[in-house]
Amino acid sequence: MFPFLWPAHGLLLAALSLAPTRLSCSSLAVPDIPHIAAYFGTKTRYEEVNPHLLRDFLSVNMSVLRPPSTERCSPVHLTAVIRHGSRYPTVKNIRRIQRLSELVRTESSGSSGGSAAWLRDVRSRWEPWYTEDMDGRLVMKGRDDLRQLARRLAALFPSLLSEENVSERRVSFRTSSKHRCVSSVEAFQEGLQQHWGHHEGPPEYSHVEDDQLMRFFEHCRGYVEGVENNRTALLEVEKFKHGEEMEAVRRRMAESLGLPLQRLTPELVEAAFFLCSYELSIKSIHSPWCFLFDESDAKVLEYKSDLKQFWKRSHGHVISSLSSCPLFHHIFRTLDKAGRPRRSTEASPEPASVLVGHAETLLPLLSLLGLYKDQTPPTASNYHSQHGRSFRSGRIVPYAANLLFVLYDCQRGPRLQMLLNEAPLRFPGLPTEDTPLYRDVRAAYRHLLDGCDFQRECEGRAGGRGPNTEL
Ligand SMILES: *[C@@H]1O[C@H](CO)[C@@H](O)[C@H](O)[C@H]1NC(C)=O
Ligand SMILES: *[C@@H]1O[C@H](CO)[C@@H](O)[C@H](O)[C@H]1NC(C)=O
Ligand SMILES: CC(=O)N[C@H]1CO[C@H](CO)[C@@H](O)[C@@H]1O
């Protein structure tokens, strides 16, 4: 299932046989997957969150659907907000990768035995193969991510994502206009075709590109000015990047590589870590670059990217979550319509709505819904008290991450269940129930349903809001 597209075995064995402290590895039990694979933040594979998919990518566990056992219920609508699948690095990271491999090629000198063997192997066998035209595009594995997700969702919701409903265009598909998202929605549709046993040409289903909805963050002036273009908004990230934990990782990596410390910038340390992640998520290989990091290094680098996501896309600044108000209202309008009582003569509601976007689409929405908000916000100085945090971007928004809203028609009225990455997720305001009454969900979000006005939040305050002071 996961072909080695690159002559990795010899190198892998060479790397595995190294015995020095830094380059030894605890990955012997699962040699195909780097021991640090769960720490890649938004560059994490979906399989790291759902490892059972490595054995069977079509396995579906119906028990994740939790209408109350005491009532008769049937699903009437599914809204799925989905992140694109695995992709190439963007130009910025491709350039860093090129700088790193150039540096290692020309300036590293193996002083200790193990590092010398590692360097020899990387130099002779690893070629940088990333080119700038790859810029963030969906890779083959990313197509598979979406095809397989579609097949599992079609199995989970046979009455909603049915062939009849999709071919009669009762299911809507909306996507960000970015190439990787358009390719993802097409792959999702291909997966549905495969599920119904059609393997001929590409499906003729349509989709709508809607950046106002799926890339709301670019259209929210308060967000762009207050966070995106604001150099001080990500101060915690900058501080951590040069703080003691990152410095220690950098020092050890420079030693392993035999590089002068000042030549190895924090960006290049990250580039090596990303290389390990990309070679796994793109080619399913265990890259030699992974051996530069042990688990505690990986946790530090994971924290660095979680800090960035937190302060840029999540609870760090209220405007980040408020920028997703259009998507929030779109979802609840769709659910309202689907849950409304109907006369038998009226048209049936839309059975499903598929929305494809980015990690930057999902994180603000999840934050707006009040999810993953820990007691203490992560900062540059509290790394050691954050090990148990719920805000881990690799668990929340890996490639192909998906947030599902499932509306059921039940005896006591409509009910709503949320799932993240195919696991049940409770509403923060209704912590005792998997599938509360829809009217209770509406009551819990009343303040947003009645407010959360994009014009007022995003345009009303030039310069945006300051940081969330009630963290
Ligand atoms: C399905 O999920 C439930 C929990 O939701 C778990 O107890 C059960 O073992 C799972 N079944 C399979 C076959 O994985
Ligand atoms: C930039 O961010 C800082 C820190 O979050 C905040 O205090 C400041 O008001 C922001 N500046 C603008 C122009 O929004
Ligand atoms: C709204 C609608 O037409 N829903 C249909 C979706 O597909 C299932 C299974 O084919 C039908 O039973 C529904 O009526």
Side-chain angles (χ1 to χ4, degrees):
M1 189 161 55
F2 294 116
F4 281 80
L5 301 174
W6 178 74
H9 274 118
L11 191 106
L12 194 62
L13 288 176
L16 284 169
S17 64
L18 301 177
T21 47
R22 288 292 303 158
L23 297 175
S24 70
C25 60
S26 54
S27 61
L28 283 162
V30 202
D32 290 342
I33 302 174
H35 57 306
I36 55 175
Y39 302 109
F40 292 146
T42 58
K43 295 174 177 61
T44 301
R45 297 187 306 175
Y46 194 68
E47 289 84 353
E48 257 57 62
V49 178
N50 283 313
H52 62 278
L53 298 176
L54 288 169
R55 291 187 298 277
D56 175 9
F57 62 75
L58 292 181
S59 78
V60 166
N61 188 341
M62 294 305 285
S63 73
V64 297
L65 298 183
R66 310 245 168 102
S69 52
T70 51
E71 266 177 76
R72 261 219 320 280
C73 298
S74 55
V76 290
H77 175 85
L78 167 71
T79 283
V81 190
I82 305 174
R83 185 189 179 202
H84 59 75
S86 306
R87 59 166 174 83
Y88 287 117
T90 50
V91 166
K92 186 179 81 180
N93 278 321
I94 290 174
R95 288 186 184 144
R96 284 181 184 168
I97 286 169
Q98 287 164 346
R99 280 214 313 279
L100 173 72
S101 52
E102 194 51 33
L103 186 67
V104 168
R105 201 165 288 273
T106 56
E107 291 187 40
S108 283
S109 63
S111 43
S112 69
S115 316
W118 184 89
L119 277 171
R120 209 166 42 243
D121 265 331
V122 162
R123 285 211 183 107
S124 63
R125 297 183 178 237
W126 188 87
E127 284 288 337
W129 55 275
Y130 302 88
T131 52
E132 291 190 10
D133 60 313
M134 293 172 176
D135 189 21
R137 291 185 170 236
L138 197 70
V139 297
M140 198 52 86
K141 167 71 169 69
R143 286 201 158 264
D144 287 341
D145 292 340
L146 270 289
R147 284 192 195 114
Q148 294 165 6
L149 175 65
R151 295 175 72 171
R152 291 193 302 275
L153 293 186
L156 208 47
F157 303 103
S159 65
L160 303 178
L161 286 173
S162 68
E163 181 168 15
E164 179 194 344
N165 292 346
V166 175
S167 61
E168 311 237 315
R169 294 173 192 267
R170 294 190 198 117
V171 174
S172 67
F173 295 93
R174 283 193 172 72
T175 178
S176 141
S177 67
K178 285 277 170 179
H179 198 280
R180 54 185 170 276
C181 296
V182 173
S183 302
S184 290
V185 85
E186 287 168 357
F188 189 93
Q189 293 172 340
E190 280 164 28
L192 293 176
Q193 289 279 332
Q194 289 170 352
H195 181 73
W196 300 318
H198 308 315
H199 295 280
E200 69 286 355
E204 70 266 38
Y205 309 136
S206 55
H207 62 259
V208 173
E209 289 175 20
D210 189 343
D211 284 345
Q212 297 282 344
L213 192 64
M214 301 313 291
R215 293 178 62 77
F216 49 76
F217 43 91
E218 311 188 303
H219 299 97
C220 179
R221 191 159 54 97
Y223 171 74
V224 172
E225 289 174 7
V227 181
E228 182 94 53
N229 297 340
N230 178 350
R231 295 185 68 91
T232 55
L234 301 187
L235 204 59
E236 295 301 325
V237 186
E238 280 305 305
K239 280 200 233 160
F240 190 74
K241 197 162 112 184
H242 302 283
E244 56 178 307
E245 291 88 1
M246 277 291 287
E247 277 300 293
V249 174
R250 189 167 74 95
R251 224 171 19 245
R252 286 195 300 261
M253 184 172 151
E255 225 165 87
S256 298
L257 291 177
L259 281 173
L261 184 59
Q262 72 279 9
R263 298 289 285 142
L264 189 72
T265 62
E267 284 77 18
L268 294 183
V269 172
E270 222 171 26
F273 189 59
F274 290 166
L275 255 176
C276 173
S277 85
Y278 282 122
E279 309 232 328
L280 178 68
S281 64
I282 298 174
K283 295 186 165 185
S284 300
I285 59 175
H286 192 158
S287 170
W289 294 93
C290 305
F291 295 101
L292 292 172
F293 304 96
D294 66 17
E295 196 170 356
S296 67
D297 298 332
K299 286 181 179 170
V300 170
L301 286 156
E302 179 199 32
Y303 190 70
K304 153 83 174 38
S305 45
D306 284 355
L307 271 183
K308 177 172 163 202
Q309 298 304 326
F310 182 88
W311 291 97
K312 193 165 179 187
R313 305 288 176 184
S314 183
H315 300 293
H317 297 88
V318 171
I319 189 65
S320 307
S321 42
L322 288 174
S323 67
S324 74
C325 287
L327 181 56
F328 173 87
H329 285 301
H330 176 91
I331 291 167
F332 276 85
R333 270 198 310 274
T334 309
L335 294 169
D336 284 350
K337 266 193 237 163
R340 213 162 43 206
R342 265 172 319 280
R343 276 191 263 269
S344 54
T345 51
E346 279 181 279
S348 313
E350 185 180 67
S353 158
V354 177
L355 306 168
V356 177
H358 307 263
E360 295 88 334
T361 311
L362 276 161
L363 281 174
L365 178 65
L366 289 162
S367 310
L368 187 68
L369 294 169
L371 292 153
Y372 304 107
K373 190 169 184 177
D374 295 303
Q375 286 256 301
T376 314
T379 65
S381 54
N382 67 4
Y383 173 70
H384 291 286
S385 66
Q386 288 285 331
H387 292 310
R389 71 190 181 278
S390 73
F391 192 85
R392 284 188 62 203
S393 55
R395 308 297 299 175
I396 306 170
V397 282
Y399 295 122
N402 50 91
L403 176 65
L404 309 181
F405 296 87
V406 187
L407 192 73
Y408 301 86
D409 192 10
C410 298
Q411 283 167 310
R412 290 183 55 205
R415 289 182 175 272
L416 187 66
Q417 187 190 351
M418 232 179 351
L419 296 99
L420 184 72
N421 304 328
E422 299 169 76
L425 177 67
R426 292 185 176 181
F427 295 96
L430 300 159
T432 60
E433 282 181 282
D434 283 313
T435 310
L437 286 167
Y438 182 55
R439 63 166 180 269
D440 292 343
V441 177
R442 284 196 51 111
Y445 289 121
R446 171 62 49 206
H447 61 294
L448 294 175
L449 289 164
D450 291 345
C452 204
D453 180 68
F454 184 77
Q455 287 305 323
R456 206 189 49 186
E457 304 299 349
C458 291
E459 302 299 321
R461 295 152 221 261
R465 295 184 168 194
N468 185 354
T469 47
E470 32 163 35
L471 284 166

